[in-house]
Amino acid sequence: MLKIFSTQLNGIFSKIQQDNEFAFEDAARLLAQTVLSNGTVYFTGKDEMEAVCAEGIHGQEAFSNAKRLNASEVSGLTSVDTVIASARFHCDQQTLALLQEIKQNTDANLIFLASQIEKEEETIPYCDAFIDLKVKKGLVPAENGERVGIPSAMAGLFAYHALFLTAKEILEEYED
């Protein structure tokens, strides 16, 4: 099972990278602008996607100006701030309601990390950049036919590191 999981997980990471190339660039530019403007990178996550928040705020490669988004702070967001929201699926109503509130009441930039279940939707509303995490079901078939091993948080962490590294590269080019 572990070999199958590992192989499938590598496939997910490759799909995230390939299918979100332009979204990573757009999101990293927003993050670089936030850093250069002395804005704040806010994080919010639902359920297991809190891992992205923890990495972005407390990890070895966290943004120095990062913090968790509290509901009371939404009205104070400005155009130099960026919010990175993460959820298991793109249709999570609680996360979409938060994104809508932020977009309607502030000028903050919004980056959303989640798996898009239905491809019918071309864009995710309220977002400046959407990273599709490509995890729709378990990666490993069990003996009973069920699929297990749903690495939503791992995909979110991969996407976070891709964003961080791309933003860092942009910031280094700016310094030259």
Side-chain angles (χ1 to χ4, degrees):
M1 281 186 130
L2 187 56
K3 178 109 170 117
I4 294 170
F5 182 73
S6 178
T7 301
Q8 293 293 328
L9 188 58
N10 280 330
I12 292 286
F13 290 165
S14 292
K15 283 183 186 177
I16 291 170
Q17 179 184 358
Q18 292 168 0
D19 294 353
N20 293 294
E21 182 180 352
F22 296 115
F24 277 125
E25 280 290 324
D26 292 343
R29 288 190 193 292
L30 294 173
L31 290 166
Q33 288 172 355
T34 295
V35 170
L36 290 171
S37 302
N38 293 317
T40 302
V41 179
Y42 289 93
F43 287 85
T44 182
K46 182 151 183 230
D47 300 328
E48 74 273 22
M49 301 308 281
E50 284 283 332
V52 176
C53 301
E55 187 70 30
I57 299 167
H58 306 293
Q60 184 70 30
E61 295 180 320
F63 287 97
S64 60
N65 53 344
K67 63 188 275 189
R68 182 173 305 283
L69 179 66
N70 294 316
S72 62
E73 295 174 312
V74 168
S75 62
L77 296 174
T78 69
S79 61
V80 297
D81 297 324
T82 297
V83 176
I84 298 177
S86 53
R88 185 179 305 144
F89 298 118
H90 80 288
C91 55
D92 180 82
Q93 293 305 307
Q94 183 180 352
T95 304
L96 289 175
L98 175 63
L99 293 175
Q100 181 180 19
E101 178 186 354
I102 293 168
K103 190 49 93 179
Q104 289 177 345
N105 298 310
T106 75
D107 293 324
N109 303 302
L110 297 176
I111 300 169
F112 187 24
L113 311 176
S115 292
Q116 188 172 5
I117 298 173
E118 299 171 14
K119 276 305 208 188
E120 299 162 4
E121 300 173 37
E122 287 297 315
T123 59
I124 306 301
Y126 323 120
C127 298
D128 296 299
F130 173 71
I131 308 293
D132 184 357
L133 301 179
K134 306 291 185 185
V135 179
K136 297 178 174 106
K137 59 186 176 185
L139 302 182
V140 180
E143 289 183 23
N144 65 2
E146 181 184 357
R147 295 189 71 86
V148 296
I150 304 171
S152 298
M154 292 172 78
L157 290 169
F158 176 83
Y160 168 76
H161 284 285
L163 283 173
F164 180 85
L165 292 170
T166 307
K168 182 174 173 55
E169 187 175 50
I170 292 169
L171 289 167
E172 286 172 354
E173 288 175 9
Y174 185 81
E175 290 174 359
D176 291 342

